[in-house]
Amino acid sequence: MWRDHLTEIIVFSALFLLVSAMGFVAARWRAPKDMAHLDEWGLGGRSFGGWITWFLVGGDLYTAYTFVAVPALMFGAGAAGFFAVPYTIVIYPLVFLVLCRLWSVSHRHGFVTPADFVRRRFDSPVLALLIAITGIVATMPYIALQLVGIEAVLKTMGVTGDSAVARHLPIIIAFAILAAYTYQSGLRAPALIAFVKDSLIYVVILVAVIYLPYKLGGWGSIFDAADAKFAASPNPNDGILLNADNQLQYVTLAFGSALALFLYPHSITGVLASRSRDVIKRNMSALPAYSLLLGLIALLGFMAIAAGVKPLPGAKEGTVDSNTVVPVLFDQQFPDWFAGVAYAAIGIGALVPAAIMSIAAANLFTRNIYKEYLKRDASPAQEATVSKVTSLVVKVGAVACIVFLDPQFSIDLQLIGGVIILQTLPAVALGLYTRWFHRGALIAGWAAGMGLGMWMLYQIPNPASKRAHFGGSAFPLSDFGFDTKKTIYVGIVAVLVNLVAAALVTLALRAAKVADGVDGTTPDDYFADEGDPRITPTPARPTTPSPEPIA
């Protein structure tokens, strides 16, 4: 009953209302004279410095889903859940090579989305449309997953009902508030809230990793309890160490996830909002600090085993909701007031990335669908308005995913989203370094990778949710004819096929002398920096009049 969690509910609600108020105030924080421009509403004026970018990008990448799902995977499967730590370490050197160039060419040409860059680089509206649609489709389930995190907290506090409406009403209210302040403040809202969100998470996790091992008998007892649980598991791949059968899946999932993360539109949006290449460089060297935090968060799964945590029942009879592992752990082991703070950290941790994701998806629709195909002469103010409205529609769609779909299916959809967004790697990431691929070949490669990826995902069942298809991203190599029990991450196979197909079709089209369009960028575009004379402020950004020249 919710009355047993009254203190937690009060603390959670107070902090939630605080950040909501900050979201509305953000419209006046670092605000220009006119917000009616995508550079201002969707990218915060492209003016964020080192600290703001660090909190914004960190809050964007480390979400409520991370907070609940990574420990839940450690709780259920053991070492396999730790893949998130190496992939968030590997990613930053990789994106260092890509995002500085993307920032430069985007600022010089006024690009707001990765599809804007592809449109100019390859002179192909069709390829740009595919990149935009891919980004939107991959982002939608990611937004829905933020609701899964909030729902796990609300369920633990007993704020649920028997009917579908009563069960989801708190989430609907929370996202209505999110929609309102995002509509008003744009990217400035999650940028400001990220300071509170990250601070709360750091405090909660540092307290947890000091207090819980002390209470549970030390780290030795925690790992012994986890080892004993997995030794009794019927799944031979479960354990505190990897084995020969799941190592390939672990490596390819970590590397594939690293390649995919900064291809997501919301990740690129956070980076394009920074004011200079130097800000990006400093952030790529400092953001691994979040990986340390993520490692500590993951270990909460083993702590939950040692504490004897039992996940709450799932939506379907006879199932459990593994996403409630961390909330139940905090509920059992901490005073109510501190559990309320932890729940607020998870809830606020959902709002920041959900806001950025909805803005990124809206920008893609506005720039690469609405302006390209529906209204070519749209003014900056019209673009901003369409993007605001689209961000509302995106949030409604995310809520609908939770209300009408099994939340577990939404989690599997996110795995599918990673495979989908990886198919933009040749055009976006490699396109920043080379234009060797023919624009028609990139379309063919995208189709080949997407087709194979969807076929592989369709073949994967999920015994836990009793679904025969789209049950995960671990594809058995035996289905390719290999005599082994090993599995591999679908995304890696699909993107490799994408690249091979793009290379072969490029050779064929070059031999046939098929026209390849005109590259609208120049080599020095990829090295432009703050203060470049070719980068001019947008009309919406305030400018200071130049002093009169001295006679």
Side-chain angles (χ1 to χ4, degrees), residues 71 82 85 205-206 209 219 291-301 303:
F82 228 74
V85 178
I205 297 304
L206 291 176
V209 297
W219 286 106
S291 299
L292 171 63
L293 181 67
L294 180 58
L296 300 177
I297 290 174
L299 290 174
L300 292 176
M303 295 181 203

Side-chain angles (χ1 to χ4, degrees), residues 94-325:
L94 294 176
V95 300
F96 187 95
L97 300 173
V98 173
L99 291 186
C100 287
R101 295 174 71 93
L102 181 60
W103 182 93
S104 292
V105 71
S106 296
H107 274 237
R108 179 166 279 187
H109 290 274
F111 299 152
V112 176
T113 70
D116 283 348
F117 161 70
V118 170
R119 174 71 172 87
R120 183 69 62 85
R121 176 69 151 161
F122 295 100
D123 194 18
S124 174
V126 174
L127 180 60
L129 177 64
L130 291 176
I131 298 299
I133 293 174
T134 302
I136 294 170
V137 171
T139 301
M140 285 298 295
Y142 221 145
I143 302 174
L145 285 182
Q146 307 316 308
L147 296 176
V148 172
I150 297 179
E151 190 170 55
V153 166
L154 296 175
K155 184 185 292 187
T156 305
M157 292 191 296
V159 187
T160 57
D162 296 329
S163 67
V165 175
R167 185 167 64 251
H168 296 295
L169 185 60
I171 292 178
I172 294 172
I173 294 173
F175 255 57
I177 296 172
L178 169 67
Y181 65 66
T182 304
Y183 185 92
Q184 176 178 319
S185 305
L187 194 65
R188 287 173 171 81
L192 186 59
I193 294 172
F195 284 91
V196 177
K197 174 253 187 186
D198 289 357
S199 299
L200 283 176
I201 289 180
Y202 267 104
V203 169
V204 169
I205 297 304
L206 291 176
V207 170
V209 297
I210 294 172
Y211 175 74
L212 288 177
Y214 167 78
K215 188 174 182 180
L216 297 173
W219 286 106
S221 297
I222 291 172
F223 279 95
D224 287 344
D227 194 29
K229 175 192 173 181
F230 295 129
S233 172
N235 188 341
N237 289 331
D238 293 347
I240 61 173
L241 297 175
L242 299 172
N243 60 40
D245 289 337
N246 62 9
Q247 289 174 356
L248 179 63
Q249 169 67 17
Y250 183 93
V251 171
T252 53
L253 179 58
F255 185 63
S257 299
L259 292 177
L261 188 57
F262 269 92
L263 291 171
Y264 276 104
H266 59 276
S267 303
I268 292 175
T269 295
V271 170
L272 293 186
S274 61
R275 69 167 179 246
S276 70
R277 287 169 63 99
D278 190 52
V279 167
I280 299 171
K281 293 176 182 178
R282 291 200 305 269
N283 270 271
M284 291 307 107
S285 62
L287 279 168
Y290 280 96
S291 299
L292 171 63
L293 181 67
L294 180 58
L296 300 177
I297 290 174
L299 290 174
L300 292 176
F302 284 175
M303 295 181 203
I305 294 174
V309 167
K310 302 294 182 185
L312 297 178
K316 292 183 178 179
E317 187 175 351
T319 63
V320 296
D321 184 357
S322 61
N323 293 311
T324 60
V325 166

Side-chain angles (χ1 to χ4, degrees), residues 357-423:
M357 291 170 190
S358 66
I359 290 170
N363 289 345
L364 280 168
F365 174 82
T366 301
R367 273 298 185 95
N368 308 114
I369 298 177
Y370 173 76
K371 185 166 184 176
E372 182 74 38
Y373 293 97
L374 301 178
K375 191 174 178 59
R376 286 183 175 272
D377 61 345
S379 67
Q382 289 173 324
E383 286 184 7
T385 300
V386 170
S387 200
K388 289 179 180 180
V389 173
T390 305
S391 73
L392 298 179
V393 175
V394 168
K395 293 183 185 71
V396 171
V399 173
C401 286
I402 293 298
V403 173
F404 297 110
L405 293 177
D406 177 5
Q408 180 61 46
F409 187 55
S410 297
I411 293 172
D412 291 332
L413 279 177
Q414 195 276 327
L415 295 174
I416 297 171
V419 175
I420 291 173
I421 201 64
L422 261 177
Q423 306 318 308

Side-chain angles (χ1 to χ4, degrees), residues 452-533:
L452 177 64
M454 291 301 101
W455 176 82
M456 293 174 68
L457 290 167
Y458 181 80
Q459 305 300 318
I460 301 173
N462 188 324
S465 58
K466 300 178 180 179
R467 284 201 319 277
H469 307 290
F470 295 110
S473 61
F475 189 82
L477 288 177
S478 58
D479 286 8
F480 282 142
F482 294 97
D483 184 16
T484 179
K485 295 181 180 179
K486 294 181 179 180
T487 58
I488 190 169
Y489 176 51
V490 171
I492 286 291
V493 178
V495 77
L496 287 176
V497 169
N498 183 338
L499 288 167
V500 170
L504 293 176
V505 175
T506 293
L507 293 174
L509 293 177
R510 294 265 190 261
K513 298 183 179 179
V514 176
D516 195 16
V518 178
D519 184 359
T521 68
T522 60
D524 65 317
D525 286 343
Y526 299 92
F527 301 95
D529 204 351
E530 182 182 21
D532 190 299

Side-chain angles (χ1 to χ4, degrees), residues 74-91:
M74 295 286 289
F75 179 88
F82 228 74
F83 83 94
V85 178
Y87 108 64
T88 58
I89 295 172
V90 169
I91 185 175

